Amino acid sequence: MGLTSESDAKEAMKLCMFDLRRGQTEGQELDKILFFYPADLPITNQLSVIGLSEGLITFTRIFSPDAPCEVIEAEKHCHVFYEVEADIWMVMVVEKENPESIWRVDALRSVLKEIHSLFVMFHGYIRALVDKEPSGGLVRSHLYYFIMDFLSDFSIGKKLQLPNFRDSLKEQGTLQMLTVGREAAIEVQSLVTLLESCVGNKQCYSMTMFQDLLVSTNLSPIDTLNLFTYAVLRLTPIALFRGASAWSSLRKTDTACSTYAGALQVTSISAIDQYYNSHDPPSLRRHNYPLVRPLQHSKWSKGKDGFLTTDIWGTEVNSLLPMCPTIWLHLTEEKMFLLAYQHRGLTVILLVPVSSVSGDQGISMLKQQIIENASLKMLKVEEKLSRGWGGENAYHVSGYRYLLVDGDRYVSRASPPGKVTTLTKESLVALSKLREEVDLEKARAKWDNSGREKDIEICIRAKNNSWLIARLVRGKELYMVLEKGSETLLFAADATEKFSERYCNGAFSLD
Amino acid sequence: MKDKNNATTSLLKRILLNCSAQAKQYGSCVSARVPEVEKDMCLKEFVVLKNCMQNVVWLVHISYSEGRSTWFDLSGVITDNLKKVNLHKMTGELSSSALSCSSGSNALSHVYIQYPPLRCNVPGSRSLFYDDSNKLILSLTPTQVFSWKIATYNPYAAPSSDRISEGPVLSIRYSLDLKLLAIQRSSQEIQIWNKDTGDTFSQKCRSESESILGFFWTDCPTCEIVFVKTRSVTCTNLLPGTLTRIEALFKAICDCSGLDMYTYGTESRNLQLVQTKKLSISWYIYTHESRLVLLASGMQCKSFTGFQLSSAGIIRLPKFEMVMAKPEANSNPILAAEDVHIITVYGRIYCLQFDKVAMLLRSYRFYRDAVVQQGSLPAYSDRIAVSVVDNVLLVHQAEAKVVIVYDIYADSQVPISAPLPLCLRGYSRANVAASHTSTKTSEASESKNLSDTEETTYGDQWQFLVPDLVLDVSNGSLWKISMDLEASSGISASSSEVQLILEFLQRRKLDAEKAKQLSLAIVRTIILERKPVPMVARAMDVLLAAYSQAIKTGSYYKRSITEEISPSNAPNAAVGETITGIDVSRSINQEPESVTRNDSSKRSIMDGSIEKTETGDLLEPGLLGGEDLPTGHSQTLGPTNNQLNSSASQRNQSQVTSSAATSPADFYNYVFSPTVEEMMGDGSYLTAIIVDFLRSCSLEKLKVYPNTYVLLVQILARDERYAELGLFIINKIIEPSKEVALQLLDSGRQNQQIRKLGQDILRQLSLHHDYILLLVQDGYYLEALRYARKNKVTTVRPSLFLEAAYVSKDPQHLAAVLRFFSDFIPGFKSSPDHNTYHRFVAELNS
């Protein structure tokens, strides 16, 4: 097993994080490493990966001090670089031997970005942790558990399944939004103000979700994205259900033939836990840090009062009540209590400044107040939203397989996954390539003339006669696959035009 | 007169079972002195009888005697014996404020009468009558009748006069077209005088035993005048009766008592009996406002039969009994006509019955097919009078000298505010204090000279007229009772229920503009005071719901009414509603009502028929509101009005906003835009308020004034809440409009995404010209050109594109743009632009 102790199976993916400011002297190189996956890789191998990476970074910096090195494409490997914080780098090494291993570098890098931004949301900046305890034990143990928990979500069976060409009609690191009618939107908005009034005069934030789609928020875009990502992973009804069913099937111990996602995770959870027991690096065992593992599976549950509870953040010293979760806001670096209320499909997350609430008593009072004042309204909002909700395939447009990205607002919308799987492998691989090209073009345009957005229009006829279309207009992107199209380019252009007029308010209609 | 007295005495019969001996003594005393009836004339006997009846209070209405008309108020005699109620103490506390009020200062009082009153005394006047059908005050001299029109209350109105022949007058009423004048000469005879021809005609009772209680004119299609008759019973008949004898008596009464309905034949010039309704009647009450006549019968006079004689026909209401508390097991109090009031509020008809034993004012509501008791209001005085001002019920606690105000719209029994004295406004005299001492003493010593104390509120001489007038019969002054909305809302605004006050204000029709301003001011105030959002939201809900209702019924729009309508003849078929039915007819029925009751200052009246002098005083420019008047909404009144045209007496050319409804535009102008300036720092609160406002609007499906959105954009942009702003735009919480787009572009100078949203709106609204200009401005001239070609926009000058291309220093682009215009605009090649930029291209290339 990839994650477990069967070390003869070669790990297809390596992931490391290192700090260039540490271990500068000869023999101290090990000190650089903040995280390495797989942890049981011999130290020399670890050091060689990091050494190569560092060398490349240093070398490319000579030519491009601001953006040193992004990717190394080797024959068998691909190294994806990402500088998470100043002088702290993450490098992901993926192998190319597998026929499924057709990656898009930007998609991989967005995984790295996601790891980092989520980590920062829960634990604060890595640099700050490093500075807090120069020995590195604290940051290492935090990173270790956090990233391992994070990666467990990508594991399918024995392997980590990173976003590959099959996900090319998906955009990592974006929000998926529910389209609501005006009336419902106003209703939601007035719910938000009602919640705010429950908190009192202090500035608080809220995020309203329906199923795993965002409805409304007043958070800054970055915080929204982080919190949204976390909610989709752990808090939404679907995530909770996944957790619960995993737990139940764990008890039944029948995981062998189940293809159900929850069951698959069971193996990975147990695998990771085993892994922790047997493979904790010696450095971690020496310290006993109070660890918070926000990404741990099956830890959230819905309480009787409708609020989601977890003991991830430990329990109160005097009582058995679980501590209220806290997160850091990106922009203000303020610590916030996280309260999540759930009613059927509706999840309302409320962030209240830690400084404004007096401990857990204040929190339970606040909860009481919300239940008293707002629960009825939430019921109403949920009803309204679920009435307007078209279900899983609500955003399917027949004949089209599409991805819409609004880069300004980090919002994307795509054909439902079930529909995307009907596409042939050729189409998807070709689209992946096309996107790779567009990514490059975008990056180039960014360097060429900053502030000016370039409009791009690409139409490609793939080998299997499907049309692949990419259109970038003023910061908005549209990718489409039309498999059953006719021969002419005119058809493709027409189809795009029609789609743009009908579903995008004509945003992609050029001429 | 004698018969009338007898009729009253027949009431006494009903308690003979209990107090026969005492009653007989009193009855014989009274009958012995008829017709010289005076106040307190059989006091001794009465007190005995009263003691017997255990503080039963009743009033005997004796007709007008020589010199002055009196309400022969027996209850005044026994006031002292009656139990003192709490309010008497309250009176003491309030007396100080009563003083300050009467002195003319702006005191705490929600109900007031405005000085000066209408003086209805003419030299030689014998008595005053109120003709509520035509809203006339009639003053009689031996040979003349003077009439003041009071439909539009004007204290300086001059009377018109008609000659009448001499003789006793028990009652006098003009027909609804004012062409006929009916005078009740005795209990047997009614004289009708035709003004046009000068003919006089007398209608007499068929038999001696009949006695006419009264009469009234009606606009019923089948008849014109209705006589209410009863069996005349003389006091000599009142022997200590056995039951059988009384029964026989009743039988006799039933034979000839009832309603006689007549039409007036213009050719024959006499009355023709159309219909007779045989009923036992002890006494009756009628108000023209409700078109309802209530006929009391039974031992306690508490069984009622009602008829509504409206233009829609005659409706007989089901018989019903009023509830009366018994002071003791064996005594049965008798209900008097003065204790029953018919009131019309919100187009509904209620009857208020004053139960003096229980000290309650019981209310009954009339439906077409039922009479339903609604509950009761407390009474704190032995004399209760009732007025209705602008659909608000005023209960005058005469002895306590306070008014309690009820708005019985939602059947609530809770007064709007604490009891406060009736205020006299605009009156100042040096001897205020002196007159007040007389005010206080006047109650005790009733013989006090009243000529000096015309500001005596709730004196015994006060006669309350339907619906909102007070006639001081002693000196012939007529007061109009008004409500001070500001005071009443001010008083109640301190209470927590802002919602209720706003609902109350929104129902006001009389001073609608004031009510509207007050409503807006209240909302503004609670926003400025940063009251909780839900509270403000509820307040806005109330106002917008009222507005939407007003739009639906059409009462919101200013109306230019040119039809002739007779205010007093406004059809009021409220009884027409059934208990199960929805009250849809209400608002329509009320419209003419609200027009007629509007303040004279707000309308211009051109009087067509009688008093030409009136126009000079009252002609004022029409009310100017700030609202847009949508065309096609000028109100046409229903057919019921048209058929009344022949009998119309007034021509109204008025422009009236008869509703206090506040439009979304008003909200912007009077609430949001002033508050935003004052609350710069509290963007999130204001955002919440405006969002709730939008929610209310969408709930009522009202169109939001576009500037409200602009304001919201400004607030959000100022607080740099761009993400939320984006969400608002995308979810269309802020509806797209050009104003919003321009504001977004303006606010978007700091934030590119917001600017883009503005652009998107321009594009979506197909504001091509602006969109292209914007693209060119931002340097996207090629895109702009493409867009211009696609949407065939030719209004943007070519030089703009060329200039933008030149600035970009790209000779290829410039050449392309030049080529574009050369190809697509005929004659461009010879224009100076072409030459200039052609040279530039060459320069750039070199």
Side-chain angles (χ1 to χ4, degrees), chain A residues 12-260:
Chain A
M13 193 272 274
K14 296 186 190 75
L15 180 66
C16 62
M17 188 187 281
F18 52 91
D19 181 4
L20 290 182
R21 292 183 195 167
R22 297 170 66 92
Q24 291 295 343
T25 50
E26 191 103 3
Q28 299 283 311
E29 287 92 349
L30 208 56
D31 202 30
K32 282 190 173 100
I33 305 174
L34 300 179
F35 172 80
F36 203 98
Y37 173 87
D40 57 346
L41 200 72
I43 296 296
T44 47
N45 291 18
Q46 292 187 16
L47 283 177
S48 80
V49 169
I50 285 167
L52 175 63
S53 304
E54 193 186 348
L56 273 166
I57 291 163
T58 322
F59 176 66
T60 49
R61 253 194 190 148
I62 300 168
F63 313 103
S64 168
D66 294 328
C69 184
E70 286 174 344
V71 66
I72 309 171
E73 292 276 9
E75 195 184 341
K76 286 184 178 172
H77 289 95
C78 174
H79 295 236
V80 181
F81 289 73
Y82 178 54
E83 187 174 20
V84 292
E85 284 165 38
D87 289 331
I88 298 175
W89 286 78
M90 271 179 107
V91 177
M92 183 187 262
V93 185
V94 287
E95 290 190 2
K96 284 181 169 177
E97 58 197 28
N98 197 312
E100 291 288 304
S101 317
I102 300 169
W103 327 99
R104 193 166 61 88
V105 173
D106 265 23
L108 294 179
R109 191 175 293 117
S110 67
V111 174
L112 301 182
K113 274 185 192 167
E114 195 168 296
I115 292 175
H116 176 251
S117 50
L118 281 181
F119 183 85
V120 172
M121 178 166 83
F122 289 110
H123 301 294
Y125 283 102
I126 295 170
R127 177 62 67 202
L129 283 173
V130 170
D131 292 346
K132 201 169 163 191
E133 207 206 68
S135 74
L138 180 72
V139 67
R140 278 192 191 107
S141 52
H142 271 122
L143 279 172
Y144 180 78
Y145 287 108
F146 188 85
I147 296 176
M148 291 315 278
D149 283 335
F150 181 87
L151 288 179
S152 71
D153 281 326
F154 286 96
S155 65
I156 289 182
K158 302 170 183 178
K159 292 215 157 186
L160 286 179
Q161 183 68 64
L162 293 170
N164 61 7
F165 68 91
R166 298 206 181 273
D167 298 306
S168 51
L169 280 181
K170 251 185 224 161
E171 183 73 358
Q172 289 269 320
T174 52
L175 307 162
Q176 281 78 53
M177 293 201 66
L178 181 74
T179 301
V180 288
R182 178 167 191 266
E183 216 171 297
I186 291 174
E187 205 64 51
V188 168
Q189 209 54 46
S190 81
L191 167 67
V192 168
T193 57
L194 186 65
L195 287 171
E196 278 173 12
S197 71
C198 288
V199 176
N201 292 327
K202 301 122 228 168
Q203 169 73 25
C204 75
Y205 298 94
S206 69
M207 188 164 97
T208 314
M209 294 177 72
F210 184 75
Q211 303 294 5
D212 47 7
L213 298 172
L214 179 71
V215 180
S216 162
T217 182
N218 56 356
L219 281 163
S220 71
I222 294 171
D223 289 319
T224 307
L225 188 57
N226 293 340
L227 194 58
F228 176 80
T229 312
Y230 182 66
V232 169
L233 287 176
R234 297 290 178 266
L235 299 180
T236 59
I238 299 160
L240 284 184
F241 176 76
R242 213 158 42 208
S245 61
W247 180 77
S248 65
S249 47
L250 184 69
R251 306 239 323 199
K252 277 186 276 171
T253 66
D254 92 1
T255 54
C257 58
S258 173
T259 50
Y260 188 61

Side-chain angles (χ1 to χ4, degrees), chain A residues 463-496:
Chain A
K463 264 186 204 155
N464 65 343
N465 284 342
S466 62
W467 285 103
L468 307 171
I469 299 158
R471 245 183 215 196
L472 274 72
V473 177
R474 321 220 56 202
K476 290 195 175 91
E477 301 165 29
L478 171 67
Y479 303 97
M480 281 204 302
V481 182
L482 304 171
E483 280 201 327
K484 289 171 192 131
S486 76
E487 301 263 313
T488 60
L489 185 63
L490 204 62
F491 159 81
D494 263 7
T496 321

Side-chain angles (χ1 to χ4, degrees), chain B residues 776-819:
Chain B
V776 175
Q777 257 174 40
D778 291 357
Y780 293 94
Y781 52 92
L782 289 180
E783 287 84 350
L785 216 53
R786 237 183 330 176
Y787 188 86
R789 205 188 133 208
K790 184 189 172 196
N791 293 292
K792 301 185 176 56
V793 182
T794 53
T795 48
V796 185
R797 278 181 293 122
S799 59
L800 279 176
F801 295 94
L802 291 163
E803 176 64 33
Y806 179 64
V807 167
S808 73
K809 300 274 182 229
D810 188 332
Q812 279 180 4
H813 282 182
L814 184 56
V817 175
L818 209 56
R819 180 66 192 268

